[in-house]
Amino acid sequence: MNDRPQPTAEFEIRAARTDDPAETDRLYEICLRTAASGKDATDSFADPRLPGDVFLGPYLRYAPDLAWVLARADRPASGYVLGVADTVAFERTLEREWWPALRARHGGEPVREGSADAFARRWIDRPPAVRADVAAAYPAHLHIDLLPEAQGGGNGSRLIRTLLDALRTRGVRGVHLGVGKANTGAIGFYRHLGFEELVDEPGALVLGMDLQEGRGLGRP
C-alpha cells in the first residue's frame, strides 16, 4: 500500500488511521453527512451511527489496507475512499462476523416505516449480494464520500485513482460500485473516470471498470 501523502494546493491523501477512534468517529460523521445521495442526512437518521455501520465500519475493520482519507495538513479528514478486492469473500465475512452483532444490537428497537433508519436496518437484516456475473468480471468494489469543502479540484478523482492503483498492483481484474439514480452528479463523475453501466436496477445503477484490458462483463 502507498502511504506516501499526495499533496495538492490544500488536501493530501493518506492511509486511513483505522486504529484511531477519533478518526473513525470523523469518518462516521462524513458518512452521515453524505448519506442522502451525497448530501447531508444528519436530520434523517434517529441513530446517526447507522450509515457508518452499514457503509463504512466493515471496510475499516476487514479491509483497512484499502482505505484512504483526504485531509488538509493537521486537520480532520474531509473525505475517504474505501474498497475491497474480493466482494464475494467480503460479503461472506460480514455475514459471519459483522451483521450478526448489529442484528442483535438493533433487533428490539422500534423504527418508523419508510424512515432512513428503516432502510439501514433492512440492509443489516438482508444485505444485498453482488450478482455472480458482476463479481466474476469486476470482483472488487468501492465507496467514496467527500464533504462539500473537498469536492471539486480533482480530489475525488485522485482518491479513486489511489484505490484503483492499489487494486491493479494486486492483479485485481475489475471493480464495480453502486450509485442511486437520483445522484446524477455522481453518475456523471464516475462515467468521466471511465466507469460503464453494468446493471440497471430499480432506483440504482451498478457501474464497473476493467482494470485489465479486454475483459468485461460476460467476457471472462
Side-chain angles (χ1 to χ4, degrees):
M1 184 178 72
N2 180 12
D3 290 347
R4 183 170 58 85
Q6 311 288 318
T8 65
E10 289 191 77
F11 292 96
E12 63 181 27
I13 294 172
R14 59 167 172 77
R17 297 166 181 155
T18 56
D19 58 350
D20 181 352
E23 175 136 303
T24 297
D25 287 345
R26 174 61 172 179
L27 300 186
Y28 264 71
E29 178 188 349
I30 294 171
C31 189
L32 176 65
R33 291 173 58 189
T34 56
S37 296
K39 296 181 172 59
D40 195 343
T42 300
D43 294 334
S44 299
F45 282 89
D47 181 349
R49 300 285 291 184
L50 269 176
D53 281 342
V54 174
F55 298 113
L56 172 74
Y59 299 85
L60 300 181
R61 172 75 62 83
Y62 299 108
D65 54 340
L66 289 174
W68 289 268
V69 303
L70 185 79
R72 295 185 179 96
D74 301 320
R75 296 286 299 277
S78 295
Y80 58 77
V81 68
L82 312 164
V84 298
D86 185 336
T87 299
V88 172
F90 181 69
E91 290 176 347
R92 289 172 180 160
T93 297
L94 298 198
E95 188 56 46
R96 185 176 63 250
E97 300 181 16
W98 185 261
W99 302 128
L102 288 178
R103 290 167 189 156
R105 184 189 313 164
H106 296 293
E109 297 175 352
V111 64
R112 181 171 57 84
E113 188 60 34
S115 66
D117 292 70
F119 169 80
R121 291 271 293 276
R122 282 195 300 272
W123 193 292
I124 291 168
D125 291 338
R126 296 180 296 278
V130 63
R131 281 177 37 159
D133 54 351
V134 173
Y138 304 88
H141 78 269
L142 68 86
H143 287 291
I144 181 172
D145 288 309
L146 295 173
L147 294 177
E149 66 203 47
Q151 295 172 10
N155 290 319
S157 299
R158 292 191 308 115
L159 268 176
I160 286 184
R161 290 190 178 111
T162 298
L163 175 60
L164 298 185
D165 287 347
L167 293 174
R168 288 190 181 99
T169 297
R170 295 180 180 208
V172 175
R173 179 178 181 178
V175 61
H176 72 275
L177 57 88
V179 59
K181 290 179 180 177
N183 199 347
T184 55
I187 293 171
F189 166 72
Y190 294 130
R191 285 178 168 159
H192 176 73
L193 289 180
F195 285 83
E196 299 179 346
E197 182 178 323
L198 305 179
V199 182
D200 188 336
E201 298 178 333
L205 298 175
V206 178
L207 308 178
M209 178 188 288
D210 283 340
L211 298 179
Q212 299 177 25
E213 290 185 1
R215 294 182 176 181
L217 189 61
R219 298 200 306 273

